[in-house]
Amino acid sequence: MMFNAEDIVRDNIKNLKPYSSARDEFKGEASVFLDANENAFGSPLSTAYNRYPDPLQLELKTKLSGIKGLPPQNIFLGNGSDEAIDILFRVFCEPILDNVILCPPTYGMYEVSANINNVQVKKVNLLPSFDLDVEGILSAIDSHTKLLFICSPNNPSGNSFHQDDIELLIQKFAGIVVIDEAYINYSRKPSFIRYLTEYANVVVLQTFSKAWGLAALRLGMAFASEAIIGYMNKVKPPYNINQATQQLALEALDNIAWVNQRIVETVKERNQLMQAVQTLSITQSVYPSDSNFFLAKLMDAKYVYDQLVSKGIIVRDRSRVELCENCLRITVGTMDENQKLITELKQIA
Ligand SMILES: *Cc1c(COP(=O)(O)O)cnc(C)c1O
């Protein structure tokens, strides 16, 4: 199937003349910059923040390019992945007319973003095994379906989906498959980034918020064809990634070894914690996880949740979410924190 982003982009975006910043209009070397109404005297801080940052974050993208193995033109950076999600709606989905497909239980932001943009949501629940209902998804697609969100590993269930299921959907769907890989670093499954050369209708989302430990910086990545990235850049606010974030992310990228060590530790702690929760009498079952959290089905989730809160331990109550009855979502903490959690859970049991 031939896919052209141009065929499904909204007309107003295709025809949009984007904002042209001072940094866009003059990019060369010069010694006196009097073009952006910045404060030439500096700022009250010791680091220079008086100049606007690079709108396209080229230094950061070039460094990421080496790590991810794809050119800077295939990378979009957002103020968190949440910004990339919102921009995908604004680029491709005509309010009221178009729709997107979500597969609950999944990350809540897709639906919120759809609602903000007044785009219809079609829900095709996961199967009870938390696998994708491929048949259900294919029959929900209509000529106005623009985006299909697949979160793998999935939040809140923790599992990764079968690669064959995702690939089949990419092949059959004439819109864009958005694969949210926020937790990919904790999984043994490879990223779908390697499919980008083969399929033009894929967007892969990753983030600095989880394995990189930089949730406060607000930095998300989207990887896609040059055409899709081009449209996203057209729509984004000109300076969406601030200078401090760009500099700190560059610094972080020099410390991949540290990140990989923490990933190994997290996975080890996760497996021990899952094992410990599994054996408690208050537990029905613990679901497999490829993430830095897992879902536990308890006898009485609400009771356990309240008991934990009273001890100052907060987990996520997902018991009112479809397919997650009596489930708590537990994020893996430090060895110390996990030990405290287990101690308290044993008292409840
Ligand atoms: C945490 C999370 C993100 C990260 O969002 P940011 O805006 O980058 O912090 C994205 N997707 C999923 C499924 C998540 O759980």
Side-chain angles (χ1 to χ4, degrees), residues 78-83 85 106-110 151 153-155 180-183 205-210 215 218-221 293 329:
N79 191 338
S81 335
D82 290 349
E83 185 179 50
I85 293 166
T106 193
Y107 186 45
M109 204 57 205
Y110 313 137
C151 182
N154 187 46
N155 178 3
D180 187 341
E181 297 186 337
Y183 300 98
L205 301 178
Q206 293 185 2
T207 180
F208 281 79
S209 297
K210 308 288 157 63
R218 309 308 301 129
L219 187 59
M221 300 163 266
F293 62 87
R329 192 193 71 189

